[in-house]
Amino acid sequence: RASWGQLAGWGVNRVLRDLYGQHRFMADVTRCEGEGAEARRYRWVIWTRADAFWMAPHPSLDLLDEDHVWVPDACDHFVGVTEHHAVVPRRFADLFFSRYTALASLDETFSACGTSAGWEVERLQHGCLAERYLRCFLRRHRIPLARFLPVAALARDSASLDCSQVVTAICPMMPGCSHFLRDNCDGTLAASVVNRLRWGWRWQMVWRREVVMQPPCKLGRNLRECCEASFRMTQDSHFCWGAWDPSYTHGATSLSLERCCDEAYFPRVWPSQ
């Protein structure tokens, strides 16, 4: 079992409840598929947060390869992977949604990222442990990851929470709105994608090697060293993208640079990786 010290930051973040919900969700999926000769398996299993505000329809599943787990290209705080939404091929679903039961082996999971459960909790407290845990879980089990541009962001009820008290929120300009977007990073990115879809842009598959990053991924030795430190075994500079850097503002620079590392897409098993 995981010790209470290792899980201390998880309850505040409601991660345990979410992971348990996914565990039960997958049990219902398996039950609905049936057993024996009459069993019919789903092609995809999709998990999404109930508080997500969808500004446009989800991209067609016909565009997504079934050799990857797909997540929105959202703000991956603290070198993690967003856990707000996941499109999971059935071949990976049993393992992907077993993260609740895998909490008993936290150290083994975080060792895939070159750290330990205690080290992660000490630095993140009740921060973005869910994102970190998901990335390290995928690395541990060698589940390939792919991304699509987001068209949804988390919303909050204006009646129960004052938007002005949420530092990262996008507050309505007009009074009387029932909800507001919780994170300016995810909200502005999703809105920019939706606007382009309204202008006539269409979804299409683009290989990662064909994606042009802004700012560009040409920082030479410093970029290479930071990638190696963040994703391999150098614990002291694991968050060199700025998690504890005063200049870190959840801006495009720090978050885009992480995309420049091959390690961010580990394991690269298929060309679409």
Side-chain angles (χ1 to χ4, degrees):
R1 295 180 178 178
S3 69
W4 170 248
Q6 292 175 336
L7 297 176
W10 295 65
V12 178
N13 207 20
R14 296 192 292 273
V15 178
L16 293 178
R17 183 190 66 186
D18 291 344
L19 291 177
Y20 181 70
Q22 293 186 34
H23 170 69
R24 294 299 302 270
F25 161 74
M26 191 60 209
D28 287 340
V29 169
T30 303
R31 176 178 54 81
C32 291
E33 288 178 326
E35 298 179 353
E38 300 299 321
R40 300 190 59 170
R41 287 166 61 91
Y42 294 104
R43 284 183 57 200
W44 298 92
V45 181
I46 301 177
W47 168 267
T48 194
R49 293 249 314 226
D51 54 354
F53 174 67
W54 289 85
M55 308 177 199
H58 194 285
S60 172
L61 298 182
D62 292 336
L63 295 173
L64 309 183
D65 287 340
E66 294 183 48
D67 56 7
H68 290 67
V69 168
W70 292 81
V71 299
D73 195 11
C75 296
D76 299 337
H77 307 305
F78 299 95
V79 199
V81 171
T82 180
E83 37 74 52
H84 296 169
H85 180 82
V87 182
V88 186
R90 185 60 181 88
R91 59 185 292 192
F92 297 126
D94 290 310
L95 187 56
F96 183 89
F97 292 108
S98 71
R99 301 197 309 284
Y100 177 77
T101 56
L103 289 171
S105 55
L106 273 178
D107 277 325
E108 288 85 348
T109 297
F110 283 119
S111 67
C113 291
T115 66
S116 67
W119 190 85
E120 296 281 348
V121 171
E122 178 184 352
R123 284 154 179 78
L124 290 182
Q125 298 297 322
H126 59 273
C128 301
L129 276 173
E131 289 90 341
R132 285 289 300 153
Y133 179 53
L134 178 54
R135 176 183 288 287
C136 299
F137 184 88
L138 296 176
R139 288 174 65 93
R140 176 187 178 187
H141 296 285
R142 300 188 63 82
I143 299 176
L145 179 70
R147 304 172 188 266
F148 59 89
L149 293 177
V151 290
L154 300 187
R156 289 292 179 266
D157 180 12
S158 298
S160 59
L161 183 62
D162 183 359
C163 182
S164 64
Q165 300 303 310
V166 182
V167 177
T168 60
I170 300 178
C171 298
M173 298 181 62
M174 303 294 293
C177 292
S178 61
H179 292 77
F180 62 89
L181 297 182
R182 192 191 73 175
D183 295 309
N184 52 32
C185 180
D186 291 335
T188 53
L189 181 56
S192 68
V193 176
V194 171
N195 279 335
R196 283 161 175 77
L197 292 172
R198 291 175 177 172
W199 296 340
W201 289 32
R202 295 291 182 267
W203 293 103
Q204 68 178 38
M205 175 74 76
V206 178
W207 302 121
R208 178 175 176 251
R209 61 181 176 270
E210 298 174 354
V211 175
V212 178
M213 299 290 182
Q214 291 294 334
C217 298
K218 296 181 180 179
L219 298 182
R221 179 180 177 182
N222 290 338
L223 174 64
R224 184 68 262 147
E225 291 178 350
C226 193
C227 289
E228 293 177 354
S230 292
F231 294 98
R232 297 187 186 279
M233 304 297 289
T234 309
Q235 295 189 8
D236 291 342
S237 55
H238 198 73
F239 295 143
C240 67
W241 300 111
W244 303 117
D245 184 337
S247 65
Y248 182 73
T249 59
H250 296 282
T253 302
S254 56
L255 294 171
S256 295
L257 287 176
E258 183 258 333
R259 305 293 198 274
C260 300
C261 300
D262 290 339
E263 294 87 347
Y265 291 82
F266 176 91
R268 180 179 290 186
V269 181
W270 288 276
S272 54
Q273 189 73 12

